[in-house]
Amino acid sequence: MTTGGADLVRMPGAGRLPADTATVTGRNLRRLVRVPTLIAFATAQPVMFVLLFTYAWGGAIHPPGVTTYIDYALPGIWVLAIAFGASQTGVAIADDLTTGMIDRFRALPMARAAVLAGRVTADAVRNLFVLVLMTGVAYAIGFRFHAGPAAALTAIGLALAVGVAFSWIFALLGLLVRDPESAGIGGLLAVIPLIFTSSTFVPVATFPGWLQAFAKVNPITVTVDALRALCLGGPTSAYVWHALAWIGVLLAVAIPAAVIRYRPAVGRQRPA
Amino acid sequence: MTEQPAIETLGLVKRFGATTALSGVDLRVPAGAVLGLLGPNGAGKTTAVRILTTLIRPDGGHARVTGLDVVRQAGAVRRAIGLSGQFAAVDGYLTGRENLVMIGRLSGLRRVAAKRRAADLLELFDLTDRAGRTVRTYSGGMRRRLDVAAALVAAPAVLVLDEPTTGLDPRARLGLWRLLGELTARGTTVLLTTQYLEEADRLADQIVVLDRGQVIATGTAEQLKNRVGGGRLELRTRPGDDPALLAAAMTGLGSATPTVDADAGLVVVPVADGPGVLPDVAARLAAAGLRVSDLALRRPSLDDVFLALTGRPTTTPFVGSSR
Ligand SMILES: Nc1ncnc2c1ncn2[C@@H]1O[C@H](COP(=O)(O)OP(=O)(O)O)[C@@H](O)[C@H]1O
Ligand SMILES: [Mg+2]
């Protein structure tokens, strides 16, 4: 080839997943700080959640075992913000499909899973930022960790892991519906019922019996309960293992399904 | 053994439900050549491009790029091609430079090489001034240039361009033609699709005319134009003058008898030899003592080629999705 590229150094084709994932992650993080709606989803919205739920509901709800509602609510608000953020993953994937970006990526000799993995990784970085931001605001209005720094860090790590699982699920949704608006609406329709039928804002014991049965197996309840245990103190390991098991199941289903769905129609690379 | 073609397809078939997008297409592009795939909307151009770039799988036939099978050796084919799709696919929230570096990295270039390559291409495509601005601020022509540059980042053996100038204003189109002309002069193998005969004429060595998923003609632009009978001369009478007199004066001038549109005062004469007829036109007008209000030489378009080859205009129901 004669357009000045004869001396280009290429990396080997195998083992490209980490490097390609890093490249795609970098692209998505740049977008996160440049696209206005994404900035809003990562800053104003989480702060608003913390303030609204504390001041609007905090006076009315008095869950047992806590003195301030924010101590009870923050783990739930974390999951709420992460779930809403994850629904944006589906929107972004659908957007990349409609703008032809994913066709461009598919025609490149890159690692197949990197476009999705890079999206999920960027979302995890955003979630870390969002968690720290929300916790900081919550601290300012009275929230405290009651089980020590190790439990607090475990809580943040577990929240990030939940975010990764949600992101893979919504990436799959984006690939399936292919249209950004539908992905956005579908995301909200999935998140809102799961949040409100969980222990996010109120104890499950206040639900009618039939709803309690569902709420107890709702993965959001399971993770919020684990996060809450890590924040408030008391017995934690059963909750945490239960949450990790759920996260494992979600990942085991969503990752292969999304990667298969992403695969170009012409697959099974067999380089000459 | 003859030299291996850069692109070769044999009996390519692709169906979408009840639609047959390609029904047995044979293409052959020698290394270093530029093939223009010419056809109206819905002819199957993008489908052919998507098969050649491994984005979709053919239902029948074979396609090879630099000798590699697009289905069984898709990964290797992706290392051999650069694609600029029908709609510019660059990230609007990245800068021009960031877009090119990203594509370079994902094509397997090391960081330093990707950066150097991006700088070179930004220079070549006249985008250095705006390289640090987000692509959202670019004009359509700049976006397209960046998209073509992105296709060239990994120095592919074969460049595939799907309607590179559709939607551009005439100035941007001319600019891109000049750039693509320079590229092809340097020996890059190119498959280019277009709806414009003029574009294929300008850029391609060989033209394949596609209609409803079938190749209906192959040849150089010259050969195609000859089949159409060159261009046409359009003469408009002055208000009140009789176009029939004008038509009579021009009889025997071109390759066929003139047609008269009396309402518009328009006389159309098919002419094989373009501007070569102008002295004769002037002489005939002078001899008959006639004057015209307007005179235009129209070069043959895809529409003319179509009319000549198929007997129907390109505007028959070809409104498909423009994927
Ligand atoms: N993904 C698709 N699903 C259904 N029909 C399609 C699809 N892609 C193309 N077609 C149909 O195949 C035919 C050829 O389309 P295309 O290759 O895009 O033509 P061109 O690029 O020449 O305009 C059209 O009738 C179009 O509607
Ligand atoms: Mg097309």
Side-chain angles (χ1 to χ4, degrees), chain A residues 107-136:
Chain A
L108 293 175
M110 60 185 285
R112 185 191 298 151
V115 171
L116 300 174
R119 166 66 58 193
V120 172
T121 308
D123 285 348
V125 174
R126 178 206 54 201
N127 282 342
L128 179 60
F129 171 81
V130 167
L131 289 170
V132 170
L133 176 70
M134 286 195 299
T135 308

Side-chain angles (χ1 to χ4, degrees), chain B residues 40-47 86-87 162-163 193 195 321-323:
Chain B
N41 221 349
K45 304 182 296 297
T46 298
T47 303
Q86 185 164 353
F87 303 100
D162 196 3
E163 300 200 24
T193 80
Q195 301 195 34
S321 83
S322 49
R323 299 225 69 229

Side-chain angles (χ1 to χ4, degrees), chain A:
Chain A
M1 158 86 187
T2 47
T3 44
D7 57 337
L8 292 178
V9 188
R10 284 196 180 222
M11 297 190 298
R16 289 269 300 273
L17 183 59
D20 288 348
T21 300
T23 303
V24 177
T25 302
R27 173 232 175 190
N28 292 329
L29 288 177
R30 285 198 169 97
R31 287 178 66 90
L32 267 180
V33 296
R34 292 180 192 169
V35 183
T37 54
L38 298 183
I39 299 171
F41 268 107
T43 56
Q45 179 179 288
V47 170
M48 206 174 71
F49 282 158
V50 172
L51 298 178
L52 281 180
F53 289 118
T54 305
Y55 290 115
W57 291 6
I61 307 175
H62 303 285
V66 293
T67 47
T68 54
Y69 181 63
I70 183 73
D71 277 358
Y72 179 85
L74 187 64
I77 302 173
W78 281 345
V79 174
L80 176 72
I82 284 173
F84 273 113
S87 74
Q88 290 304 300
T89 302
V91 176
I93 292 283
D95 199 54
D96 281 348
L97 277 170
T98 51
T99 58
M101 221 44 217
I102 284 191
D103 268 358
R104 164 146 264 153
F105 290 141
R106 278 171 169 161
L108 293 175
M110 60 185 285
R112 185 191 298 151
V115 171
L116 300 174
R119 166 66 58 193
V120 172
T121 308
D123 285 348
V125 174
R126 178 206 54 201
N127 282 342
L128 179 60
F129 171 81
V130 167
L131 289 170
V132 170
L133 176 70
M134 286 195 299
T135 308
V137 172
Y139 238 85
I141 59 171
F143 169 81
R144 291 295 178 268
F145 286 106
H146 296 281
L153 288 179
T154 309
I156 299 281
L158 186 63
L160 287 176
V162 175
V164 168
F166 287 169
S167 285
W168 276 105
I169 290 168
F170 283 107
L172 174 62
L173 181 80
L175 288 169
L176 290 173
V177 302
R178 302 183 64 90
D179 164 58
E181 275 181 34
S182 312
I185 294 166
L188 293 186
L189 288 183
V191 168
I192 291 173
L194 282 174
I195 289 283
F196 282 91
T197 59
S198 75
S199 61
T200 302
F201 298 114
V202 290
V204 167
T206 63
F207 291 168
W210 58 271
L211 192 54
Q212 280 191 35
F214 174 77
K216 279 179 183 150
V217 295
N218 180 342
I220 303 235
T221 301
V222 172
T223 34
V224 169
D225 285 353
L227 293 172
R228 202 164 270 150
L230 288 164
C231 291
L232 295 177
T236 53
S237 56
Y239 287 114
V240 172
W241 284 117
H242 196 176
L244 286 176
W246 250 120
I247 291 168
V249 168
L250 293 179
L251 288 175
V253 174
I255 294 179
V259 172
I260 288 170
R261 185 72 205 181
Y262 173 82
R263 194 165 63 177
V266 179
R268 279 197 299 280
Q269 300 191 21
R270 230 176 290 159

Side-chain angles (χ1 to χ4, degrees), chain A residues 1-3 7 10-11 16 27 30-31 34 100 103-106 108-109 265-266 269-272, chain B residues 50 54 56-57 68 70 72-73 78-79 83 89 91 93 98 106-108 117 147 154 156 183 186:
Chain A
M1 158 86 187
T2 47
T3 44
D7 57 337
R10 284 196 180 222
M11 297 190 298
R16 289 269 300 273
R27 173 232 175 190
R30 285 198 169 97
R31 287 178 66 90
R34 292 180 192 169
D103 268 358
R104 164 146 264 153
F105 290 141
R106 278 171 169 161
L108 293 175
V266 179
Q269 300 191 21
R270 230 176 290 159
Chain B
R50 288 172 65 80
T54 78
I56 54 174
R57 204 189 270 264
L68 302 163
V70 296
R72 285 180 294 110
Q73 297 166 303
R78 290 183 196 122
R79 279 190 279 281
L83 166 67
D91 191 323
Y93 285 93
E98 286 168 346
L106 295 177
S107 305
R117 186 75 180 143
D147 197 79
L183 273 178
R186 296 191 217 185

Side-chain angles (χ1 to χ4, degrees), chain B residues 17-69:
Chain B
T19 314
T20 301
L22 297 178
S23 50
V25 169
D26 300 342
L27 298 174
R28 193 187 154 84
V29 190
V34 182
L35 180 80
L37 196 55
L38 178 68
N41 221 349
K45 304 182 296 297
T46 298
T47 303
V49 162
R50 288 172 65 80
I51 290 174
L52 286 170
T53 53
T54 78
L55 294 175
I56 54 174
R57 204 189 270 264
D59 295 322
H62 297 278
R64 291 182 167 274
V65 177
T66 63
L68 302 163
D69 188 283

